[in-house]
Amino acid sequence: MTDPILYVLIGVVLTLACTWIVRRTFAFQAQEHDDYVHLLPELDLRRHLNGTMRCQGMIFGPTGRVSSRFVAIMRMTWDGNVGSMIETFVYDDGTTQERVWLITVHEDGRVETEANDVPGGGQGRQSGNTLGLRYRIQLPEEMGGHLLSAVDWLYLQEDGTILNRSQFRKFGIKAAELFAVITPMEDEDA
């Protein structure tokens, strides 16, 4: 009688171990900065995230369906290696949100970020045409107030457009994914 239970437990453990290995090896969050070190054009946040930018994107829920769309205006200023970015979001349901980021770029490419809804800040690194960040984000109470782990990658394109893909997880399970396109704006368009 204990043999079938033992076999089921071994099967569960092996399934969980295989799932963990696949996630760490082949999934989105398995990307490493060294994967992109030779790709051009080389991303420099101080140059490519500077001034006023338009960000258009969508958020996918845990089932992969679009749950929200948004447009944001991002205003970025730099004082040496320290930047301040104000993001103003307008979602497709009419709600708005503002986030202020403080971004520090170190000479070795490391990046540190701070925002009010990012407890403990974020850590990342510029490498080749990318920026990879990891942080935890606190959702607003009206969205459940959950604390999610985020993996955020920015990919610079030849024309200066930045593609942004982010995944948000709770207890290791994907809760949401974001895809956005960030483009510079002329001052008169802002």
Side-chain angles (χ1 to χ4, degrees), residues 164-175:
N164 179 202
R165 183 177 178 202
S166 305
Q167 283 188 353
F168 304 92
R169 295 182 177 272
K170 176 110 178 168
F171 305 122
I173 299 168
K174 185 166 65 169

Side-chain angles (χ1 to χ4, degrees), residues 24 53 63 84 107 171:
R24 293 291 180 195
M53 293 151 286
T63 64
S84 175
E107 293 304 321
F171 305 122

Side-chain angles (χ1 to χ4, degrees), residues 59 70-73 86-91 93-100 117 137-140 142-143:
I59 300 169
F70 64 87
V71 174
I73 300 299
I86 301 171
E87 297 177 308
T88 305
F89 292 88
V90 178
Y91 293 92
D93 66 359
T95 60
T96 61
Q97 180 184 21
E98 186 170 282
R99 178 177 295 114
V100 178
D117 55 355
I137 189 164
Q138 184 80 50
L139 296 180
E142 58 271 12
M143 295 177 70

